């Protein structure tokens, strides 16, 4: 699916709003996944000018989650487009395991995405531009995305961990699932 095809498919989805020009939501605090990505994939971020038509939001559990349509180039050279959510570079992975009786429990391990692209994106966390009345005119998410504009980011590693999932918006601790932790590095 090309970028234009993805944007048009998004426009046809009633739960998605397209046509946003900037990210307005702030970045998550430290304790607050990649969309079907594989090791070796290259995320191709649009230029600032191209971004204007590619930002949208998806409603989930009555909350809007903003995303941007980007291209992904697989190691074999094929390209596809995805809805990339900035939370991909921020979300923690809480590691779970099973005790000797097979009952799931949360370990003390909390892992975060890493890599030079993540470091670049997050270096503006908490830095909002405000107008004279204290209203946000540029969010830290927008600033972080602008730092990635026109750049290529490689999925350098993908490591699977056991964790829990969610069912109907509620954490399901009855069984463990596999979830990937990614390393994203800027490509020179």
């Amino acid at each position: 699916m090309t970028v234009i095809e993805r944007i048009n498919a998004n426009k046809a989805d009633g739960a998605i709003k397209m046509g946003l020009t900037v990210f307005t939501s702030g970045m998550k605090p430290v304790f607050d996944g990649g969309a079907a990505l594989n090791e070796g994939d290259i995320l191709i971020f649009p230029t600032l000018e191209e971004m204007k038509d590619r930002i949208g939001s998806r409603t989930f559990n009555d909350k809007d989650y903003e995303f941007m349509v980007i291209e992904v180039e697989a190691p074999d050279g094929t390209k596809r487009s995805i809805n990339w959510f900035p939370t991909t570079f921020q979300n923690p992975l809480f590691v779970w395991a099973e005790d000797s009786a097979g009952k799931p429990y949360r370990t003390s391990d909390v892992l975060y995405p890493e890599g030079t692209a993540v470091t670049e994106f997050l270096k503006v966390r908490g830095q909002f531009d405000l107008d004279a009345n204290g209203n946000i005119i540029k969010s830290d998410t927008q600033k972080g995305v602008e730092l990635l504009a026109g750049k290529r980011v490689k999925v350098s590693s993908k490591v699977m961990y056991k964790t829990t999932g969610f069912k109907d918006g509620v954490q399901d601790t009855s069984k463990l699932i596999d979830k990937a932790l990614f390393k994203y590095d800027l490509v020179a």
Side-chain angles (χ1 to χ4, degrees):
M1 185 179 280
T2 67
V3 168
I4 296 300
E5 291 168 334
R6 171 63 68 184
I7 289 170
N8 289 335
N10 287 342
K11 286 179 180 178
D13 186 328
I16 293 179
K17 292 181 238 174
M18 287 302 299
L20 306 178
T21 58
V22 297
F23 286 91
T24 59
S25 299
M27 291 185 192
K28 286 184 174 184
V30 171
F31 277 100
D32 236 359
L37 296 174
N38 295 298
E39 197 167 306
D41 282 347
I42 303 288
L43 286 64
I44 304 168
F45 284 86
T47 64
L48 287 175
E49 187 60 34
E50 292 170 328
M51 276 185 202
K52 292 180 180 171
D53 294 324
R54 296 191 187 189
I55 298 172
S57 69
R58 181 177 225 15
T59 303
F60 179 73
N61 288 338
D62 297 324
K63 184 171 178 1
D64 288 338
Y65 294 89
E66 296 172 330
F67 65 87
M68 178 170 45
V69 177
I70 65 168
E71 282 187 309
V72 177
E73 184 177 341
D76 68 2
T78 59
K79 289 185 180 179
R80 66 191 188 282
S81 63
I82 64 169
N83 292 341
W84 177 82
F85 292 81
T87 55
T88 301
F89 282 10
Q90 305 168 60
N91 284 343
L93 188 150
F94 297 92
V95 180
W96 284 62
E98 290 182 340
D99 64 18
S100 59
K103 184 177 178 193
Y105 69 94
R106 190 173 137 196
T107 72
S108 61
D109 295 326
V110 180
L111 308 172
Y112 290 90
E114 297 179 335
T116 57
V118 174
T119 300
E120 181 73 3
F121 175 76
L122 294 177
K123 75 181 185 183
V124 292
R125 176 183 266 150
Q127 298 178 22
F128 296 88
D129 289 350
L130 307 174
D131 66 15
N133 297 318
N135 299 309
I136 297 172
I137 54 176
K138 187 181 278 191
S139 70
D140 55 353
T141 301
Q142 179 63 31
K143 288 181 172 192
V145 169
E146 288 178 2
L147 292 172
L148 299 175
K151 296 187 176 157
R152 296 167 58 90
V153 173
K154 183 176 185 175
V155 177
S156 300
S157 70
K158 176 180 181 178
V159 180
M160 303 304 288
Y161 289 91
K162 293 290 185 190
T163 191
T164 58
F166 287 82
K167 186 174 184 177
D168 299 323
V170 177
Q171 186 176 26
D172 179 6
T173 60
S174 67
K175 65 180 187 283
L176 299 181
I177 62 169
D178 291 321
K179 185 173 179 185
L181 182 69
F182 294 93
K183 181 177 181 189
Y184 302 95
D185 287 308
L186 294 167
V187 176

